Amino acid sequence: MPSPSWQARNSAETRPDAGSEKELDAEHRQAWDLVHSAQRGDTSAFGKLYGRYVDVVYRYVLFRVGDRELAEDVTSETFLRALRRIASVTYQGRDVGAWLVTIARNLVLDHVKSSRFRLEVTRAEVDDGSTVQAGPEQQVMA
């Protein structure tokens, strides 16, 4: 039996009108048609997928990392990984953008983990060989 939240999301009150739902279905099908074309070797189809989803992925990554250059790098790596794995992706009832954002999310998490590791590395930055001069407190107490 479906959960109450699922029923509420799919009730007539929360459902978009039939026209916009059909438009979403058509866009959804069109995106998956591009994936299938890319799987058959059509490079322009992957280019169209890139054009369609690059802004969504970039905004997602930028919101998470807060650095434009890093967001551009992660977005680029997202589409590179998608291109490498395009043959293995299959339809799972979701938009292609969900797959791309999942790749981006994993890359962001990898970056955060590696950054955390780098932040924990200690380095000898203090010069132990230098002499410390007495400050005003030490002069008053002497």
Side-chain angles (χ1 to χ4, degrees), residues 65 70 107-121:
V65 300
L70 180 59
L107 287 169
V108 168
L109 291 174
D110 289 347
H111 172 74
V112 168
K113 286 186 230 174
S114 69
S115 295
R116 231 183 255 152
F117 174 74
R118 276 187 253 134
L119 290 175
E120 293 175 2
V121 174

Coordinates of all heavy atoms in Angstrom, one line a residue, residues 65 70 107-121:
V65 N 29.7 23.7 -3.3 CA 31.1 24.0 -3.0 C 31.4 25.5 -2.8 O 32.4 25.9 -2.2 CB 32.0 23.5 -4.1 CG1 31.8 22.0 -4.2 CG2 31.7 24.1 -5.5
L70 N 36.0 25.9 -9.0 CA 35.8 24.5 -8.6 C 34.5 23.9 -9.1 O 34.5 22.7 -9.6 CB 35.9 24.3 -7.0 CG 35.7 22.9 -6.5 CD1 36.8 22.0 -7.0 CD2 35.7 22.9 -5.0
L107 N 30.9 13.4 -6.9 CA 32.2 14.1 -7.1 C 32.3 15.2 -6.0 O 33.4 15.3 -5.5 CB 32.2 14.8 -8.5 CG 32.4 13.8 -9.6 CD1 32.2 14.5 -11.0 CD2 33.8 13.2 -9.6
V108 N 31.3 15.8 -5.6 CA 31.3 16.8 -4.6 C 31.7 16.1 -3.2 O 32.5 16.6 -2.5 CB 30.0 17.6 -4.4 CG1 30.0 18.4 -3.2 CG2 29.8 18.5 -5.6
L109 N 31.0 15.0 -3.0 CA 31.4 14.3 -1.7 C 32.8 13.8 -1.7 O 33.5 13.9 -0.7 CB 30.4 13.1 -1.6 CG 29.0 13.5 -1.3 CD1 28.1 12.2 -1.3 CD2 28.8 14.2 0.1
D110 N 33.3 13.3 -2.9 CA 34.7 12.9 -2.9 C 35.6 14.1 -2.7 O 36.6 14.0 -1.9 CB 35.0 12.4 -4.3 CG 34.4 11.0 -4.6 OD1 33.9 10.4 -3.6 OD2 34.4 10.6 -5.7
H111 N 35.3 15.3 -3.2 CA 36.1 16.5 -3.0 C 36.1 16.9 -1.5 O 37.1 17.2 -0.9 CB 35.5 17.7 -3.8 CG 36.2 18.9 -3.5 ND1 37.5 19.2 -3.8 CD2 35.8 20.0 -2.7 CE1 37.8 20.4 -3.3 NE2 36.8 20.9 -2.7
V112 N 34.9 16.8 -0.9 CA 34.8 17.2 0.5 C 35.6 16.2 1.4 O 36.4 16.7 2.3 CB 33.3 17.2 1.0 CG1 33.2 17.3 2.5 CG2 32.6 18.3 0.3
K113 N 35.6 15.0 1.1 CA 36.3 14.0 1.8 C 37.8 14.2 1.7 O 38.6 14.2 2.6 CB 36.0 12.6 1.4 CG 34.7 12.0 1.9 CD 34.5 10.6 1.5 CE 33.2 10.4 0.8 NZ 33.1 9.0 0.3
S114 N 38.3 14.5 0.5 CA 39.7 14.7 0.2 C 40.1 16.1 0.8 O 41.3 16.2 1.3 CB 40.0 14.7 -1.3 OG 39.5 15.8 -1.9
S115 N 39.3 17.1 0.9 CA 39.6 18.3 1.5 C 39.7 18.2 3.0 O 40.6 18.8 3.6 CB 38.5 19.4 1.2 OG 38.4 19.6 -0.2
R116 N 38.8 17.4 3.6 CA 38.9 17.2 5.0 C 40.2 16.5 5.4 O 40.9 16.9 6.3 CB 37.7 16.3 5.4 CG 37.0 16.8 6.6 CD 35.9 15.9 7.0 NE 34.6 16.4 6.5 CZ 33.6 15.7 6.3 NH1 33.6 14.4 6.4 NH2 32.5 16.3 5.9
F117 N 40.6 15.6 4.6 CA 41.9 14.9 4.8 C 43.0 15.9 4.8 O 43.9 15.9 5.6 CB 42.1 13.8 3.8 CG 43.5 13.1 4.0 CD1 43.8 12.3 5.0 CD2 44.5 13.4 3.0 CE1 45.0 11.7 5.2 CE2 45.7 12.8 3.2 CZ 46.0 12.0 4.2
R118 N 43.0 16.7 3.7 CA 44.1 17.7 3.6 C 44.1 18.7 4.7 O 45.1 19.2 5.1 CB 43.9 18.5 2.3 CG 44.6 17.7 1.1 CD 44.6 18.5 -0.1 NE 43.6 18.0 -1.0 CZ 42.7 18.6 -1.7 NH1 42.6 19.9 -1.6 NH2 41.8 18.0 -2.4
L119 N 42.9 19.1 5.3 CA 42.9 20.0 6.4 C 43.5 19.4 7.7 O 44.0 20.1 8.5 CB 41.4 20.4 6.6 CG 40.8 21.3 5.6 CD1 39.4 21.6 5.9 CD2 41.6 22.7 5.5
E120 N 43.5 18.1 7.8 CA 44.0 17.5 9.0 C 45.4 17.2 9.0 O 46.0 16.8 10.0 CB 43.2 16.1 9.2 CG 41.7 16.3 9.5 CD 41.0 15.0 9.6 OE1 41.6 14.0 9.5 OE2 39.8 15.0 9.8
V121 N 46.1 17.4 7.9 CA 47.5 17.2 7.8 C 48.2 18.3 8.5 O 48.1 19.5 8.3 CB 48.0 17.1 6.3 CG1 49.5 17.0 6.2 CG2 47.3 16.0 5.6

